[in-house]
Amino acid sequence: MTRTAIVTGAARGIGAATARRLAADGHAVAIVDLVEEQAAETAQAITADGGTAIGIGADVSDAGAVTAAVDRVTAELGAPTILVNNAGILRDNLLFKMSESDWDAVMNVHLRGAFLMSRAVQAHQVEAKWGRIVNLSSTSALGNRGQANYAAAKAGMQGLTKTLAIELGRYGVTANAVAPGFIETDMTRATAERMGVPFDAFVDAMVKEIPVARSGRPEDVAAAVSFFCSEGAGFVSGQVLYVAGGPRA
């Protein structure tokens, strides 16, 4: 059955791969990202492949922008009943070097953004008596040096997920989280650059710690999201699935 899905932070990386996968699954997809031109490029690529997609520029941490974006999706694609909260940023630093603005920026995009998007979309899900919310967490939720803000936000995404599952389950809405390990994206490439390490060397070092002996790809994460969004996942809710190539990656 065709549904309308929203994927945030979907202009590139994991978000773009997820949008492509959901479109391939037969859903109409709204790509939401900070810069509309970049979101539109991803949408156009999906359309060129025979899917249905639109690109929308919105700051997910801005309540007014979120309301406007969801209203536009509803008008152009139909009421959204699938939501993937993927938008995220990095502001890594050791605790004693981390500024308040670094902390706030990460919390606002990850947690406030997921809260605002979920609050806006749940109205359509409850009305439809069907819905899927998938939040992107991370293995960093378990703790990671130099990421006090990001780790706290990603752990918070898991708590938000479990609470949404409890509150919305009676309306046919499931909420789950996907927690990726090391995935090759522009974000991890930027991390290597910040550390002054060639990306190939960075990947090689990370792969040595991964049991399946390879790095992750955005499509690996998209496959997990696709399952949680499927009709068959209706009895799976409040779960966190680590997509990390092993139990300790």
Side-chain angles (χ1 to χ4, degrees):
M1 181 176 181
T2 298
R3 310 276 187 181
T4 296
I6 296 175
V7 184
T8 68
R12 58 187 180 181
I14 289 172
T18 297
R20 289 193 297 268
R21 176 60 185 262
L22 292 180
D25 290 344
H27 304 301
V29 183
I31 287 90
V32 175
D33 214 297
L34 194 58
V35 179
E36 182 152 338
E37 290 77 11
Q38 295 175 358
E41 288 178 9
T42 302
Q44 289 162 7
I46 289 172
T47 302
D49 287 338
T52 300
I54 60 172
I56 297 176
D59 177 354
V60 296
S61 69
D62 182 295
V66 166
T67 298
V70 173
D71 286 348
R72 182 175 163 192
V73 173
T74 304
E76 296 187 27
L77 295 179
T81 53
I82 295 173
L83 171 63
V84 181
N85 286 309
N86 169 75
I89 60 172
L90 290 177
R91 295 289 186 272
D92 293 353
N93 225 325
L94 294 174
L95 181 63
F96 76 98
K97 293 180 179 179
M98 187 173 290
S99 67
E100 291 93 336
S101 61
D102 286 343
W103 177 272
D104 291 343
V106 170
M107 290 298 166
N108 283 342
V109 175
H110 291 268
L111 278 177
R112 179 180 167 89
F115 156 66
L116 290 173
M117 288 298 305
S118 299
R119 188 178 65 177
V121 171
Q122 63 83 31
H124 297 289
Q125 296 173 324
V126 169
E127 183 176 353
K129 294 183 172 57
W130 191 97
R132 300 285 188 265
I133 297 173
V134 183
N135 294 322
L136 268 292
S137 181
S138 168
T139 54
S140 292
L142 304 173
N144 199 28
R145 179 179 172 83
Q147 289 194 319
N149 49 4
Y150 186 78
K154 289 307 193 183
M157 292 291 269
Q158 296 188 18
L160 174 64
T161 298
K162 293 175 185 294
T163 302
L164 294 177
I166 292 167
E167 291 189 9
L168 299 175
R170 70 186 63 186
Y171 304 107
V173 180
T174 66
N176 292 285
V178 175
F182 180 72
I183 310 294
E184 289 193 45
T185 64
D186 289 345
M187 188 177 282
T188 51
R189 190 175 292 275
T191 298
E193 186 175 328
R194 177 179 56 81
M195 295 171 64
V197 178
F199 189 59
D200 288 346
F202 184 59
V203 171
D204 288 344
M206 298 300 291
V207 166
K208 288 178 182 177
E209 304 298 322
I210 300 174
V212 300
R214 72 168 175 87
S215 58
R217 297 181 292 268
E219 291 75 18
D220 293 316
V221 182
V225 175
S226 173
F227 165 69
F228 280 138
C229 293
S230 69
E231 298 287 340
F235 201 57
V236 182
S237 196
Q239 302 305 302
V240 180
L241 177 59
Y242 285 86
V243 181
R248 301 174 63 185

